[in-house]
Amino acid sequence: MNLDESILSIAPNVSIQCGQAGLEGEPYIQVDNFIEGAERLKAYAVEHGAFAPADSYYPGIRAAVPLIYTVALAKNLSGYISRYFGFHPRHVKKAVSTFSIVTQAPESLSLYQRLPHFDAPSRLSLAAIHYLGADEGGGTALYRHRNTGFEYVDAERYQPYMAAIHQQFADPQGYPPGYIHGDTDAFTQIHAFAARFNRLVLYRGSSLHSGVLPQDYSFDPDPATGRLTVTTFIEFSGT
């Protein structure tokens, strides 16, 4: 099967919620019942997804998603992206989407895989997560770094934030093992999005965030039964 615009059209029963998180008021968009053909998009991942270990800090496997999906996402939400983030689709510089499944065992994580992270130290980027797995708990959370008070890391904050992290975790064993879940001594959870089938959440790529896994997470690598998501990163050239 191939992806086509008909299954990527926004669903007639879509529900869109916009809000702000934390003390710094970072905007986010939560979209329920996002696209009409969510089941067919999942079937595409099952049938065509060439999953392989990620070549980044992502703790799992990934497969390419056709560009038509990313274009449809930006088109479907263009008005909201413009209003709440100040970006126009014609200013897109780079955009990529991938099917993603968390599969890495907690005890094998590096320090930076255990910490909340940012996708890019830029205010000109957006990140989106589209949930296509079963509603098995978990989701995505946004965080504040306690020592700096930062809820996002941009170019100006990058050096002081990384210096603070290096100093704070000179001994990586000083940070709790496994995947982060809620507050820690170093980070405060400021907002959480629960995983729901065909729910999409959108926030700035500079926001500190992390996936939330349920305590009984199975680490199932099968896109038909595992924690399948589509992760999207969009970089803009300006507003």
Side-chain angles (χ1 to χ4, degrees), residues 19-114:
Q20 295 178 312
L23 299 177
E24 299 194 288
E26 284 297 279
Y28 65 81
I29 299 174
Q30 177 178 296
V31 186
D32 288 324
N33 305 314
F34 177 42
I35 59 171
E36 289 195 75
E39 290 283 4
R40 291 174 63 190
L41 178 60
K42 181 174 182 175
Y44 179 93
V46 173
E47 183 177 346
H48 298 287
F51 285 87
D55 58 358
S56 63
Y57 282 108
Y58 183 77
I61 56 177
R62 283 181 158 164
V65 177
L67 181 60
I68 187 175
Y69 170 89
T70 315
V71 172
L73 186 158
K75 179 181 178 181
N76 289 342
L77 299 177
S78 61
Y80 289 89
I81 290 172
S82 177
R83 178 180 300 178
Y84 291 98
F85 295 101
F87 302 132
H88 193 282
R90 68 171 177 268
H91 294 149
V92 171
K93 180 179 178 182
K94 175 185 177 183
V96 62
S97 299
T98 55
F99 291 116
S100 305
I101 307 174
V102 173
T103 58
Q104 190 169 339
E107 60 271 17
S108 68
L109 298 176
S110 68
L111 172 64
Y112 286 102
Q113 290 174 312
R114 290 180 276 151

Side-chain angles (χ1 to χ4, degrees), residues 14 22 34 79 89 119 134 136-137 167-168 192 199 231:
V14 66
F34 177 42
D119 293 325
E136 57 177 30
Q167 181 179 18
Q168 190 172 6
R199 168 178 284 177
T231 57

Side-chain angles (χ1 to χ4, degrees), residues 154-174:
D154 60 4
E156 182 177 343
R157 293 181 172 187
Y158 179 79
Q159 292 295 342
Y161 177 74
M162 295 306 297
I165 291 295
H166 290 155
Q167 181 179 18
Q168 190 172 6
F169 302 114
D171 176 9
Q173 300 306 315

